[in-house]
Amino acid sequence: MEWTLAILFIAAAILLITSVIKAKQTSKSEQREIDVIHLSVMEEIAQLQKQIRHLELDLEIMEKESGVQLASKDRTVLRDVLDLHRRKYSVESIAAQKKLTQTEVEEMLAPYLLGKEERRSVLQ
């Protein structure tokens, strides 16, 4: 009888240890799944933010153009130049990065800078 109780006690301890190990493994696998989902959601959010920024810039470009059609390559360059300008890059660094002259960059930005200056003068 004592041996039976000892065997049952050892079996219960082994089952308890096995259960704890399995729970840790399950917890680790669930944490990995959560991390993978988190990374994929963050990538999607970054892509959506980039698309929104491009749409905002396209909208601003279309408002300023008011009917004038640009080639898609020109539009992409203008979008990039506006984006860099909004992120406080200097005209010189934008020109260097986009391989344009400073006057070309200033001409591209001119319609957008005038609008901001006009708004400021109205407020003052």
Side-chain angles (χ1 to χ4, degrees):
M1 182 81 156
E2 294 172 4
W3 287 100
T4 308
L5 279 172
I7 292 173
L8 286 175
F9 182 72
I10 292 172
I14 291 172
L15 289 174
L16 178 65
I17 292 170
T18 306
S19 172
V20 169
I21 291 172
K22 291 276 186 183
K24 285 184 180 180
Q25 289 174 346
T26 304
S27 173
K28 286 181 182 178
S29 68
E30 288 174 351
Q31 184 63 38
R32 283 188 202 118
E33 288 178 24
I34 290 172
D35 289 343
V36 168
I37 292 170
H38 179 263
L39 289 175
S40 66
V41 167
M42 293 304 290
E43 288 174 1
E44 287 180 30
I45 288 172
Q47 289 174 350
L48 288 172
Q49 288 175 335
K50 184 177 178 180
Q51 289 176 347
I52 288 171
R53 188 172 64 240
H54 285 204
L55 287 173
E56 288 173 345
L57 293 172
D58 282 344
L59 179 63
E60 188 173 343
I61 290 169
M62 287 176 18
E63 287 175 352
K64 296 294 180 179
E65 287 176 353
S66 62
V68 177
Q69 290 286 333
L70 284 177
S72 63
K73 182 180 177 185
D74 293 339
R75 178 175 294 249
T76 304
V77 171
L78 182 57
R79 179 190 311 149
D80 292 341
V81 168
L82 279 173
D83 185 39
L84 291 172
H85 178 70
R86 281 190 172 177
R87 290 192 277 157
K88 308 296 184 206
Y89 281 72
S90 68
V91 174
E92 296 83 19
S93 63
I94 295 171
Q97 188 173 357
K98 291 297 167 186
K99 296 180 176 80
L100 300 168
T101 64
Q102 290 183 13
T103 55
E104 287 175 328
V105 172
E106 290 170 353
E107 288 174 2
M108 292 173 104
L109 292 173
Y112 306 98
L113 296 177
L114 288 176
K116 289 182 181 179
E117 290 175 8
E118 290 171 359
R119 283 183 244 147
R120 287 184 189 153
S121 65
V122 171
L123 292 174
Q124 294 175 350

